[in-house]
Amino acid sequence: MKKSLFVLGLATIVLSSCGGEDNSQYEKAAEKICSCMTKANEKREAEKAADTLGFNLDLTDLDYALCALDVATEVDPFDDKMAEAIKTKCPDLSETHKKYVAAGKKK
């Protein structure tokens, strides 16, 4: 009986320690994505201004996916906490995040 309780307690500790990231990690990840997207938007605008051939492709979704990939080792970008953090930190990217999550769930 004592052994069973010990194993159950140990399993609880292990599972709770691996239970996921807290909100502050998602907020930091959202800030990284916001910063990354700001840089990507600035680069895209500069390229658009220099484009004389009219090849103005909107690569926002691709840029977002690359920015999200940068934080994927820290947090789960598909978690609802990430959506909330993006909505708080950079609400203009909320729809882009929704499309990213939807595209990721299709696979």
Side-chain angles (χ1 to χ4, degrees):
M1 179 72 174
K2 289 181 182 180
K3 187 176 183 181
S4 296
L5 288 175
F6 175 74
V7 171
L8 182 61
L10 184 61
T12 303
I13 291 170
V14 168
L15 290 175
S16 66
S17 68
C18 299
E21 298 81 11
D22 63 7
N23 289 341
S24 66
Q25 287 179 308
Y26 281 97
E27 290 173 7
K28 288 177 186 175
E31 288 173 4
K32 285 183 182 180
I33 290 175
C34 297
S35 176
C36 178
M37 284 301 291
T38 298
K39 291 174 186 173
N41 288 337
E42 289 170 356
K43 181 180 176 188
R44 198 174 322 107
E45 288 299 317
E47 290 171 352
K48 189 176 181 181
D51 181 18
T52 58
L53 300 175
F55 293 119
N56 296 323
L57 300 175
D58 183 13
L59 300 175
T60 303
D61 294 339
L62 175 63
D63 289 335
Y64 190 88
L66 293 173
C67 292
L69 183 63
D70 286 343
V71 300
T73 58
E74 302 165 20
V75 297
D76 178 8
F78 298 103
D79 193 298
D80 290 338
K81 291 179 186 179
M82 189 75 233
E84 287 300 315
I86 290 291
K87 194 175 191 180
T88 302
K89 297 293 179 182
C90 41
D92 57 312
L93 294 176
S94 187
E95 287 301 315
T96 305
H97 180 74
K98 286 180 187 176
K99 289 193 302 187
Y100 171 73
V101 170
K105 288 185 178 180
K106 286 182 183 179
K107 296 184 180 205

